[in-house]
Amino acid sequence: MAKVLFIKANSRPAEQAVSVKLYQAFLDSYKKSHPEDQTTELDLLKENLPYYDTDMINGMFKLAKGMELTDAEKEAAGLVQKYLDQFLASRQSRFRISALEFQRSIRASHISGLPFTQAGKTFKYTAGSRPVGLIHDKKVALLNARGGIYSEGTPAQSKEMSVNYVQNILNFWGVEDMTTIIVEGHNQFPGPGGANHRRGNTKKLKTAAVNF
């Protein structure tokens, strides 16, 4: 039995958000095909996480150094540890990333929900002071829906700031087994051609969930 963590970062109802439909389709398909696994859903918006603030930074630093923490730092570090331990305990993780227009495609909830770049936990420094990721054994699926076309080779590629952001963090942590599933263009091309494309991607999504 594997522990699988599903991380969601969109509070909109499914009928209004393609990314939520994407997430739910993957989740339902995975649960149906892997009934023996223990799945946990983490909704970053419902958790209402605070910003990664000074008390969290100082608390985690002092904790790693064996220094005495203030009461505020203990509480803040405990919150970070809670979500970090949940992430590290899972063998596989699913991130559902929402992409709004590129100017605000990374929400504060995404940043606050990923305070896991902690030395000694998700990476370490070598003798030559180079950072090396520590979680090579974790499988991750990134699910993303975006209304425009931001694929490689398109004019808007350089403006994609959600998937690239999370991929860079995961690469830094040492994650090597990463699957990325993207549905795009549903606002830019709302006609029949776009609908056929979306149906094809949904089928690929369900297949990916079964094989993951």
Side-chain angles (χ1 to χ4, degrees):
M1 179 186 72
K3 290 184 177 180
V4 185
L5 179 63
F6 287 82
I7 301 176
K8 181 182 179 184
N10 192 329
S11 58
R12 297 177 66 199
E15 61 270 16
Q16 297 177 15
V18 173
S19 58
V20 177
K21 292 177 183 177
L22 187 71
Y23 170 87
Q24 199 60 51
F26 191 100
L27 177 62
D28 293 343
S29 183
Y30 187 89
K31 285 184 174 182
K32 183 177 180 180
S33 57
H34 301 81
E36 71 285 356
D37 287 353
Q38 178 183 335
T39 59
T40 301
E41 291 188 69
L42 175 61
D43 189 324
L44 296 181
L45 276 299
K46 287 185 178 179
E47 293 292 315
N48 196 26
L49 298 173
Y51 288 108
Y52 192 57
D53 61 11
T54 303
D55 284 333
M56 289 183 177
I57 295 171
N58 288 345
M60 293 302 293
F61 174 80
K62 290 181 178 180
L63 199 62
K65 298 294 184 181
M67 300 167 64
E68 185 175 351
L69 281 69
T70 66
D71 289 341
E73 290 167 348
K74 287 179 183 177
E75 182 178 354
L79 185 63
V80 175
Q81 284 286 109
K82 171 188 172 182
Y83 292 103
L84 177 59
D85 290 346
Q86 182 185 40
F87 175 70
L88 294 177
S90 63
R91 183 178 67 86
Q92 300 163 271
S93 295
R94 311 288 180 272
F95 292 82
R96 200 232 35 82
I97 312 164
S98 63
L100 306 178
E101 57 268 18
F102 67 86
Q103 295 96 332
R104 54 191 178 98
S105 60
I106 290 298
R107 298 180 178 184
S109 60
H110 293 165
I111 299 171
S112 296
L114 293 172
F116 302 155
T117 306
Q118 305 289 340
K121 297 287 188 177
T122 52
F123 79 101
K124 68 176 181 180
Y125 289 105
T126 65
S129 298
R130 292 182 64 252
V132 176
L134 295 176
I135 53 175
H136 305 285
D137 60 339
K138 193 173 299 295
K139 298 175 66 177
V140 173
L142 301 179
L143 312 179
N144 177 241
R146 50 210 190 196
I149 302 295
Y150 296 85
S151 300
E152 185 175 352
T154 65
Q157 178 187 352
S158 63
K159 298 178 177 65
E160 201 293 304
M161 299 180 186
S162 53
V163 174
N164 284 335
Y165 170 75
V166 178
Q167 283 178 332
N168 284 332
I169 291 177
L170 294 171
N171 286 329
F172 186 80
W173 295 344
V175 175
E176 298 170 350
D177 192 343
M178 196 185 315
T179 299
T180 302
I181 302 168
I182 296 173
V183 174
E184 62 178 2
H186 43 274
N187 289 332
Q188 189 172 347
F189 301 103
N196 291 335
H197 179 67
R198 292 192 295 276
R199 281 194 290 269
N201 282 334
T202 300
K203 185 176 180 180
K204 291 179 183 178
L205 169 81
K206 293 179 179 179
T207 300
V210 170
N211 296 330
F212 212 79

